[in-house]
Amino acid sequence: MTELLSKDDFRAALEDAIKGREAKNASFSLAWANGELSRDHFARWAENHYHYVGPFADYLGYIYANTPDHATDAKDFLLQNMYEEELSDVRHTDLLIRFAEACGTTRERVTDPRNMNAVTRGLQGWCYATAMREHFAVATAALVVGLESQVPAIYRKQYPPLLDKYGFSEEDTEFFDLHITSDEVHGERGYQIVLDYADTPELQQRCLDLVRAGAEMRFSYTKALYDTYVASDLGPAGTSKDADDADLLSLGTG
Amino acid sequence: MPTIRFLTSGCAVDFPDGDDVNMLRVAIRNECEVPYRCASGNCGTDRVLVVEGAENLSPPRKRERERLGALLDQGYRLCCQTYASGDVSVQWDPAQKALDDRWVDKALPAAANERLQRRWLSESDTAGAERAAEAD
């Protein structure tokens, strides 16, 4: 039976669980960073991304409901995170819709769930199921460590080209700039919750499994955006293909 | 290896050459006691005075410029909005609060409060509140 890992070793294992599965290396992300996408492609991205991140406060609400009263810091973190998504300033999904409108699509198209592809629907369903059914530390590991903590690395790569290569304004792209910084802190606090409350070998292993699964879900979601909306215009992942294939092999799906 | 020195708490954190790291994330991870609240550049609770190494910090972001205003010129930065890529030393007032009263005394900022009122209160409730405010 696996022994309880020290906090340092557990953190290293969590970080390792994401490696090779980072969505920043998926074909859509690479094409984005390389300046190869059009505003139409970004519009399709926004129409999908809304349905993944739009319910994030809902996911956190389910985790909150599963968190015991004594875990006050975890509950506070979840509430704070929900508040920032929805109320602290401009609603985060409104910032996403602002970007989507700059890409030529509409609020109605973005919020219409019929416009997401099947893989996005799968990612959204996985997030809901994980939040509802897993121990709160495991769900936090999956959604905050596995998914949310990746955001700064992804957007730090994708935000500069939006301004420099694609010609968007700072106003249009505030969604990205905001998440580069806010998700640094969300991710770090998420790590702390997981390190403190996943306090048995079984919980630690479950966290690692779910972090791996979450990272794979996000990678697959990002790759599917390329396959569904970009490949017909630019061809199968071209210059991005090497990295893409390498990562798929590491996932066992290549 | 570059070092961030959090002078007020006496905490010093090294990070690998070539990396750039979010100042607040480093402070939280290493329990360096920088006060913070929203972590989104809205409240300003995590402002720090840069004593050394300002040239090793990322350029101010939109929210930081808007939030700090003239304080930026006086050498302040928001930890949550700032990345360090080399040696830097910062200090702060351990008892400092948010820059705006709405973050100190009220649970919700004005825009959010208005949205909640629209969602939860009927028009007649809202009208009643407006009449009461006018009477005051």
Side-chain angles (χ1 to χ4, degrees), chain A residues 83-84 91 156 177 184, chain B residues 20 29 38 61 83 109 119:
Chain A
Y83 174 74
E84 283 166 18
R91 195 183 296 279
R156 289 187 77 191
D177 191 36
E184 289 272 9
Chain B
D20 55 347
R29 180 170 179 174
C38 78
R61 316 176 84 81
Y83 287 79
R119 190 182 306 170

Side-chain angles (χ1 to χ4, degrees), chain A residues 102-168:
Chain A
C103 298
T105 186
T106 62
R107 175 179 288 270
E108 290 69 31
R109 275 195 59 85
V110 171
T111 57
D112 185 343
R114 289 172 296 185
N115 290 324
M116 69 174 137
N117 67 46
V119 180
T120 304
R121 199 171 293 118
L123 174 60
Q124 185 199 64
W126 182 84
C127 290
Y128 271 121
T130 300
M132 287 182 197
R133 298 168 75 168
E134 296 288 341
H135 183 281
F136 77 95
V138 175
T140 301
L143 299 182
V144 180
V145 171
L147 298 178
E148 197 176 18
S149 79
Q150 286 196 59
V151 169
I154 296 170
Y155 289 169
R156 289 187 77 191
K157 207 167 165 182
Q158 295 181 339
Y159 178 60
L162 288 176
L163 302 176
D164 302 338
K165 293 184 180 173
Y166 296 108
F168 289 99

Side-chain angles (χ1 to χ4, degrees), chain A residues 60-78:
Chain A
L60 297 176
Y62 287 113
I63 301 175
Y64 187 91
N66 288 330
T67 305
D69 288 344
H70 66 80
T72 307
D73 54 345
K75 293 182 89 91
D76 287 351
F77 162 68
L78 293 163

Side-chain angles (χ1 to χ4, degrees), chain A residues 11 80 83-84 86-89 91 156 170 174 177-178 180-182 184-185 188-189 191-192, chain B residues 20 24-25 28-29 36-39 42 61-63 65 80-81 83 107-109 112 115 119:
Chain A
R11 184 179 181 114
Q80 180 84 24
Y83 174 74
E84 283 166 18
E86 300 294 327
L87 290 168
S88 71
D89 195 10
R91 195 183 296 279
R156 289 187 77 191
E170 268 194 337
E174 191 172 357
D177 191 36
L178 171 70
I180 286 172
T181 51
S182 66
E184 289 272 9
V185 175
E188 187 54 42
R189 293 194 68 198
Y191 266 105
Q192 291 186 325
Chain B
D20 55 347
L24 185 57
R25 183 169 199 163
I28 294 171
R29 180 170 179 174
Y36 72 98
R37 188 158 175 184
C38 78
N42 283 326
R61 316 176 84 81
K62 178 171 178 277
R63 280 173 177 257
R65 296 195 302 269
C80 68
Q81 300 293 299
Y83 287 79
L108 295 172
R115 278 201 298 275
R119 190 182 306 170

Side-chain angles (χ1 to χ4, degrees), chain A residues 181-201:
Chain A
T181 51
S182 66
D183 286 348
E184 289 272 9
V185 175
H186 290 165
E188 187 54 42
R189 293 194 68 198
Y191 266 105
Q192 291 186 325
I193 302 298
V194 174
L195 296 178
D196 286 344
Y197 291 100
D199 53 2
T200 67

Side-chain angles (χ1 to χ4, degrees), chain A:
Chain A
M1 177 169 158
T2 311
E3 292 186 355
L4 185 69
L5 299 171
S6 70
K7 284 189 181 180
D8 285 346
D9 288 346
F10 185 34
R11 184 179 181 114
L14 288 165
E15 289 168 350
D16 199 46
I18 299 172
K19 280 182 189 159
R21 300 169 172 83
E22 297 100 328
K24 67 179 180 179
N25 296 325
S27 43
F28 190 87
S29 303
L30 294 173
W32 180 320
N34 291 337
E36 296 167 5
L37 300 181
S38 69
R39 292 203 175 204
D40 276 350
H41 297 140
F42 288 123
R44 304 291 87 75
W45 171 83
E47 288 164 4
N48 279 269
H49 204 65
Y50 177 88
H51 298 285
Y52 157 46
V53 299
F56 215 87
D58 293 12
Y59 310 149
L60 297 176
Y62 287 113
I63 301 175
Y64 187 91
N66 288 330
T67 305
D69 288 344
H70 66 80
T72 307
D73 54 345
K75 293 182 89 91
D76 287 351
F77 162 68
L78 293 163
L79 272 182
Q80 180 84 24
N81 200 334
M82 280 187 266
Y83 174 74
E84 283 166 18
E85 290 288 336
E86 300 294 327
L87 290 168
S88 71
D89 195 10
V90 182
R91 195 183 296 279
H92 286 192
T93 46
D94 284 343
L95 294 176
L96 176 58
I97 289 170
R98 185 194 296 169
F99 175 71
E101 289 173 340
C103 298
T105 186
T106 62
R107 175 179 288 270
E108 290 69 31
R109 275 195 59 85
V110 171
T111 57
D112 185 343
R114 289 172 296 185
N115 290 324
M116 69 174 137
N117 67 46
V119 180
T120 304
R121 199 171 293 118
L123 174 60
Q124 185 199 64
W126 182 84
C127 290
Y128 271 121
T130 300
M132 287 182 197
R133 298 168 75 168
E134 296 288 341
H135 183 281
F136 77 95
V138 175
T140 301
L143 299 182
V144 180
V145 171
L147 298 178
E148 197 176 18
S149 79
Q150 286 196 59
V151 169
I154 296 170
Y155 289 169
R156 289 187 77 191
K157 207 167 165 182
Q158 295 181 339
Y159 178 60
L162 288 176
L163 302 176
D164 302 338
K165 293 184 180 173
Y166 296 108
F168 289 99
S169 69
E170 268 194 337
E171 183 80 3
D172 293 337
T173 54
E174 191 172 357
F175 175 81
F176 304 94
D177 191 36
L178 171 70
H179 283 93
I180 286 172
T181 51
S182 66
D183 286 348
E184 289 272 9
V185 175
H186 290 165
E188 187 54 42
R189 293 194 68 198
Y191 266 105
Q192 291 186 325
I193 302 298
V194 174
L195 296 178
D196 286 344
Y197 291 100
D199 53 2
T200 67
E202 293 77 14
L203 275 176
Q204 287 186 339
Q205 289 307 310
R206 186 70 180 154
C207 286
L208 292 171
D209 287 345
L210 271 280
V211 166
R212 274 184 215 105
E216 286 173 7
M217 292 299 293
R218 183 158 187 157
F219 182 93
S220 300
Y221 154 76
T222 311
K223 180 181 183 302
L225 293 172
Y226 189 98
D227 296 343
T228 309
Y229 306 112
V230 181
S232 57
D233 295 332
L234 301 182
T239 54
S240 318
K241 199 167 186 312
D242 291 344
D244 208 326
D245 283 350
D247 276 331
L248 285 174
L249 285 169
S250 78
L251 294 178
T253 55

